[in-house]
Amino acid sequence: MYKTSEFSSMTGLSKDTLRYYAEVGLLEPAFIHPDNKYRYYDDGSYFLALLLGKLRRFGFSIKELKTVMNDESFANLEKLLREKKSSMEKEAEDIEARIQELDEFIQSGKEEK
């Protein structure tokens, strides 16, 4: 069992994030000491925390994370990852187009001088 501070260091999730994930039902501590209310996490929690951290870095919303966590078989995970990838590719194309437009705008300003 790991205290919140240890678990935070191990997973890269802040203590505030761990508390929030517990509040919204994404990642509950394995045990809460009845006297001092310290939260403890176990090895199973560790793998879930790593998954949640990875999905957040991919831009998954809390709602999307809940969808993944509520599907115990994780059957939907590949579908959601492919959808997220497609969305990110579209976003990258949009950003690339705006960068191109910005470059053209900068260049047009230089030509006037």
Side-chain angles (χ1 to χ4, degrees), residues 1-16 18-19 27 31 38-43 45-46 49-50:
M1 299 286 251
Y2 310 99
K3 289 183 183 178
T4 301
S5 57
E6 295 170 314
F7 196 69
S8 174
S9 294
M10 291 169 53
T11 62
L13 300 175
S14 72
K15 291 188 262 184
D16 289 337
L18 291 171
R19 280 189 215 94
L27 182 63
F31 175 73
Y38 283 4
R39 297 162 182 252
Y40 294 90
Y41 295 86
D42 60 12
D43 289 334
S45 302
Y46 175 74
L50 292 180

Side-chain angles (χ1 to χ4, degrees), residues 2 4 6 13 19 25 27 30 32 44 53 58 60 66 75-76 82 87 93 96-97 103 106:
Y2 310 99
T4 301
E6 295 170 314
L13 300 175
R19 280 189 215 94
L27 182 63
I32 300 176
F58 291 154
F60 276 63
K66 285 183 175 185
N76 259 349
R82 289 187 187 283
S87 172
E93 289 171 9
E96 188 60 40
D103 285 342
I106 290 168

Side-chain angles (χ1 to χ4, degrees), residues 11-101:
T11 62
L13 300 175
S14 72
K15 291 188 262 184
D16 289 337
T17 297
L18 291 171
R19 280 189 215 94
Y20 178 70
Y21 283 0
E23 284 176 30
V24 298
L26 278 174
L27 182 63
E28 302 284 336
F31 175 73
I32 300 176
H33 195 284
D35 296 331
N36 58 22
K37 305 297 184 211
Y38 283 4
R39 297 162 182 252
Y40 294 90
Y41 295 86
D42 60 12
D43 289 334
S45 302
Y46 175 74
F47 294 107
L48 291 176
L50 292 180
L51 175 63
L52 290 170
K54 179 70 79 176
L55 295 177
R56 282 298 280 171
R57 283 189 294 282
F58 291 154
F60 276 63
S61 67
I62 295 298
K63 182 180 177 182
E64 290 169 322
L65 292 177
K66 285 183 175 185
T67 300
V68 170
M69 299 309 285
N70 289 334
D71 183 0
E72 292 182 16
S73 69
F74 291 101
N76 259 349
L77 183 56
E78 184 177 3
K79 177 180 174 257
L80 291 171
L81 288 170
R82 289 187 187 283
E83 288 172 0
K84 185 58 71 177
K85 180 181 180 224
S86 176
S87 172
M88 291 168 77
E89 288 171 340
K90 174 70 172 121
E91 186 177 338
E93 289 171 9
D94 291 346
I95 290 171
E96 188 60 40
R98 289 192 323 233
I99 290 171
Q100 181 65 35
E101 185 179 353

